[in-house]
Each structure stands twice: as structure tokens, then as C-alpha cells.
Amino acid sequence: MLLPLFKTKSAKSPAAAASTEVAPSTPRPGRLVALRRIVTPSRMLPFVVVGATLGAFLDQCHTLGGVITHPNNEDPLLEDVKLFGFVYCFSSMLYALFTEVLFRVPRPPAPIEEGVAIFLGVYVPGYLMTAFAGSWLSNATQLGILLALSAFLWHRYDGSVQGVVALSIVAAVGAGIEATWSSCPRGPDSWLCPLGPEVFQYVDKDLLGRVPYWLPGIYTLSSTTLGQIARRYLARD
């Protein structure tokens, strides 16, 4: 008996057909939708608290080390609480948004315990260096050290172009804001001077004639250290 040259297709059972059907994919929410869902006041509050407490304490070390003066401010601690509550939230959240929400990077953020250890073991000593090492390290050398630490952490936990963009934005905006606020003239209040005129000034003014060279490095190191905690925090959804 001759075999047929072409096999006829056998009808599939409804159950088998259903099992092979590809379910329609659920559309991913847009980036702005994800941004509104993830970035909420309750998620930003911890970083404001860190900035208003530890950040204010560290900046007082700048005062003790003779890096900053307060020519027209009777309560510099209150100024630090307001300023660094914003600064720490801005630097950490912007970095986390760029690397975890808007342009997700392939490398996962550090575990929360490791992130806290990096922040306390790398950022805090780096900050204290800028407060007390000025007599034996130039401002340019301190900037190099801060940028080298930032680059190492970026390579270890990020390695993305968007991470570099976020760090550059944080460094430019942070240093620019402090350069503006530290040179506010005496006179009527201005929206450019929300803390008031001459509330703080840097002793060394070798960048833009207003702030020290190492200031952008402080912002990049803040992003790559506290930013690891923010990335892990935002990655929960």
C-alpha cells in the first residue's frame, strides 16, 4: 500500500488549541505614568530626613573646618536643615529616576545593607575630607579623589550612559545653586535667594569665583552612594 505523499493536518482539540495560543501582552505603563506612581511624597521623605539630619551635621563640619563662613546668618543650623533636606533628596532621587525608572539599566542596585554601608563608609569620609584636609590636599586633588570614588561606584553598580548624564546634571545643578545662593547680595529678597542674602560663603572660591573645585564631586559622590539606596527603594515596584 502506497503512503500518501503529503500528510493531512489533523484537527486540534479545542483544549490543545487554547494551550498554544499566545496571550496578548499587557502593555507596559508609560514612563510618566510610572514616574507618578513611584515618586510620591512618602518615598521622598526618607531622603529629606537624611539630608536634614546627617547632611546638616556634615555641613556643620565644613563650618568647624573653616571651609564655610556665615556672614549674615544667626542660625546656620536651621539653614542647613532646609538646604540639605532638599539637596540630598534631589541628588539621590534624580540619579535613581534616571537609572531605575526612566531608563532602566541592566545592573541591579546594591542591596539595601550594602548601600547603607557604601554611603556611610565612602560618602561620609569623602565629605569629611573636604572639611578638614584642605591644609594638606589641594581642592583640585580632593575633586579628583571624589570623582574617582564616584566613577568606581558608577562602574560597579551602574555602568550606563544615563547614569553619567544624571551625575553630570546633579553636579552642575547642585554646584550652580550653591554658587548662586552663596553670592546673593544684600538687598530685597529674590526668588534666586530663598535663604536670604549672604547666609553662607565658601572661603575658597576657585570655581566660578564662588565655590571650591571639589563641590561638584560632593554631588556626584552623593548620587552614587545615597543614590544606590534610592534605586533599591524605587525598584520595589
Side-chain angles (χ1 to χ4, degrees):
M1 180 171 138
L2 297 178
L3 295 175
L5 294 178
F6 300 98
K7 295 182 180 179
T8 58
K9 294 183 179 180
S10 58
K12 293 184 179 180
S13 64
S19 63
T20 58
E21 288 182 356
V22 178
S25 59
T26 303
R28 295 179 61 184
R31 290 172 180 172
L32 291 180
V33 174
L35 195 64
R36 288 194 298 266
R37 187 181 71 247
I38 293 176
V39 182
T40 61
S42 62
R43 294 202 170 194
M44 297 171 67
L45 181 61
F47 302 97
V48 174
V49 171
V50 170
T53 53
L54 182 59
F57 166 76
L58 290 174
D59 196 66
Q60 288 299 303
C61 293
H62 274 168
T63 303
L64 293 175
V67 175
I68 291 179
T69 61
H70 301 270
N72 190 34
N73 187 9
E74 298 179 354
D75 193 358
L77 182 58
L78 178 60
E79 162 215 312
D80 286 344
V81 168
K82 294 187 294 183
L83 173 62
F84 288 95
F86 161 76
V87 165
Y88 278 57
C89 182
F90 162 73
S91 62
S92 58
M93 294 297 286
L94 179 66
Y95 179 73
L97 291 176
F98 262 73
T99 57
E100 199 62 37
V101 179
L102 298 180
F103 309 98
R104 189 178 295 275
V105 302
R107 300 182 187 178
I112 187 66
E113 299 83 0
E114 188 174 341
V116 172
I118 291 171
F119 177 67
L120 296 178
V122 177
Y123 176 73
V124 172
Y127 201 110
L128 294 177
M129 174 190 70
T130 63
F132 301 112
S135 59
W136 50 282
L137 285 177
S138 68
N139 290 338
T141 301
Q142 294 180 58
L143 173 62
I145 293 173
L146 295 173
L147 292 180
L149 292 172
S150 301
F152 170 77
L153 293 173
W154 166 83
H155 182 268
R156 172 69 177 82
Y157 296 106
D158 185 347
S160 67
V161 174
Q162 54 266 30
V164 175
V165 173
L167 293 177
S168 301
I169 293 175
V170 168
V173 172
I177 288 176
E178 289 206 37
T180 301
W181 288 358
S182 64
S183 60
C184 288
R186 295 181 181 273
D189 292 339
S190 168
W191 67 272
L192 289 174
C193 304
L195 300 179
E198 297 183 354
V199 292
F200 72 94
Q201 289 184 351
Y202 284 96
V203 174
D204 293 335
K205 303 177 181 180
D206 39 22
L207 180 62
L208 303 176
R210 298 178 179 180
V211 296
Y213 276 137
W214 47 255
L215 187 59
I218 283 290
Y219 280 93
T220 60
L221 193 59
S222 170
S223 293
T224 52
T225 52
L226 192 61
Q228 296 303 323
I229 302 175
R231 282 187 65 196
R232 175 62 64 181
Y233 196 51
L234 295 186
R236 295 185 305 175
D237 278 3

